[in-house]
Amino acid sequence: MKIISNVNELKNYLKIQMKTIGFVPTMGALHDGHLSLIKQAKKECELIVVSIFVNPTQFLAGEDLEKYPSRDEADKKICKLAGVDVVFLPKKSDIYGSDEVSLKAPNIRGFVLEGATRPGHFDGVLTVVNKLFNIVNPNYAYFGKKDAQQLNLITLMVKQLFLDVKIVPIDTVRESDGLALSSRNIYMSKEQRVEALKISRSLYEASKMIQKKIYKTEKIKEVMSEILVPLKVGYIEILNRDFETIETIEIGNTIVLVEALIGNTRLLDNIWL
Ligand code: AMP
């Protein structure tokens, strides 16, 4: 496995490989969710590149950039065991200059849900993913459905900027008790972790209601918000796959999303129905 920090070194290495490249962008502190992306990439591609870069431009002032978990040595081992070919581990100065060209997230889809409370977050996400795509030039790139809005906006960027990469969405990996894996879960105390289970429970309840043919989204959101008490809920939304609000569930075209704050830890989760 190669570990490369320098952009030109990576570009030159990949240019001569003549293999199908699968790319998994991450911010490190790897867990089984990331591994599931890597495993799918291994099934579909001949050469796997994982990037580990805590992208400063997607953090707003006062967010957890400084304390975001960093586990480079453990991450390298995980990648090696998973059969990754190249780990790209750039420094901030490898990716960003001083007076930067940047991408803007779309005015509507980029400023609802996560974008409403974190304005500018998706400008940073799209800018870095576009840069990483230009460096790695992958055939396939793997993203978790857990970050549904991110996945939606990246798919839109690929389409609107006519990029030559296929985006592959991957199902959310959970703990056995339902908690969605996240690098931020380590911020929570034992008690907070128990509280956090209300998030996945509210989503399972939504799914059960839909199985019972309760299709009115207002009713489902009402029941979910009862389950989520006393958490500080950022949003409960029920959208179609184009990220438009719906009043009635469309089976096969619905995403139920929750954002809630547990202590200072913001957790996202969703279920695709
Ligand atoms: P991050 O390192 O948090 O930026 O995540 C890197 C990629 O892993 C993103 O595409 C995430 O959506 C994905 N990811 C994070 N958590 C999970 C999970 N529990 N299951 C599946 N994919 C995930």
Side-chain angles (χ1 to χ4, degrees):
M1 184 180 81
K2 286 182 95 62
I3 295 164
I4 299 179
S5 301
N6 181 274
V7 170
N8 285 330
E9 188 185 336
L10 179 62
K11 279 184 149 215
N12 292 335
Y13 175 75
L14 293 174
K15 214 184 294 174
I16 53 170
Q17 297 302 314
M18 309 303 286
K19 288 181 175 167
T20 319
I21 299 177
F23 179 41
V24 181
T26 80
M27 299 209 297
L30 302 182
H31 51 63
D32 282 351
H34 299 110
L35 266 181
S36 153
L37 273 59
I38 295 171
K39 278 188 198 146
Q40 188 59 32
K42 293 249 346 147
K43 281 191 202 150
E44 295 173 339
C45 304
E46 294 162 312
L47 192 149
I48 312 303
V49 180
V50 171
S51 63
I52 298 175
F53 180 59
V54 181
N55 173 39
T57 63
Q58 70 189 69
F59 288 78
L60 272 65
E63 290 189 344
D64 58 345
L65 173 62
E66 302 308 329
K67 65 168 188 150
Y68 196 84
S70 168
R71 307 239 192 294
D72 287 354
E73 290 315 308
D75 288 350
K76 285 180 207 166
K77 283 189 196 140
I78 291 170
C79 286
K80 188 147 196 262
L81 282 172
V84 170
D85 298 284
V86 181
V87 175
F88 179 45
L89 236 172
K91 293 189 298 299
K92 183 181 168 196
S93 56
D94 291 304
I95 299 295
Y96 290 107
S98 53
D99 189 19
E100 275 278 315
V101 173
S102 65
L103 280 178
K104 296 294 283 168
N107 284 332
I108 299 167
R109 283 197 237 189
F111 290 87
V112 291
L113 305 173
E114 286 305 286
T117 43
R118 307 177 74 191
H121 166 68
F122 287 115
D123 298 352
V125 170
L126 295 180
T127 299
V128 82
V129 171
N130 190 43
K131 280 175 183 262
L132 292 169
F133 282 173
N134 289 331
I135 294 166
V136 176
N137 204 10
N139 302 87
Y140 295 82
Y142 297 80
F143 291 88
K145 288 184 182 174
K146 177 172 172 293
D147 298 290
Q149 192 177 10
Q150 168 175 288
L151 172 62
N152 179 270
L153 291 170
I154 289 168
T155 307
L156 189 71
M157 173 180 81
V158 165
K159 184 171 169 229
Q160 293 185 338
L161 298 187
F162 306 104
L163 302 182
D164 252 336
V165 53
K166 181 167 179 346
I167 302 300
V168 185
I170 302 291
D171 288 341
T172 300
V173 178
R174 300 175 178 282
E175 304 277 8
S176 53
D177 58 12
L179 182 70
L181 297 188
S182 161
S183 304
R184 289 188 165 104
N185 288 353
I186 56 157
Y187 296 156
M188 288 188 285
S189 68
K190 255 191 182 164
E191 294 73 25
Q192 288 175 330
R193 201 191 163 290
V194 172
E195 281 287 275
L197 292 178
K198 289 185 172 159
I199 298 174
S200 52
R201 211 174 297 141
S202 74
L203 292 168
Y204 288 137
E205 190 54 42
S207 156
K208 273 198 234 153
M209 289 176 78
I210 293 164
Q211 278 165 27
K212 287 185 201 148
K213 300 199 167 27
I214 299 167
Y215 291 148
K216 286 283 158 232
T217 56
E218 267 320 304
K219 179 72 202 154
I220 297 169
K221 286 202 263 183
E222 205 180 294
V223 171
M224 288 176 71
S225 55
E226 281 161 19
I227 295 173
L228 289 163
V229 173
L231 303 187
K232 263 190 229 155
V233 176
Y235 57 77
I236 302 170
E237 273 300 341
I238 304 187
L239 308 175
N240 66 19
R241 302 278 163 92
D242 290 322
F243 262 68
E244 294 154 342
T245 305
I246 49 174
E247 285 176 12
T248 310
I249 297 291
E250 302 164 17
I251 301 285
N253 188 28
T254 296
I255 313 177
V256 186
L257 307 101
V258 176
E259 185 219 74
L261 204 65
I262 314 281
N264 291 324
T265 310
R266 274 177 355 91
L267 295 181
L268 301 185
D269 202 352
N270 61 63
I271 195 161
W272 297 45
L273 299 162

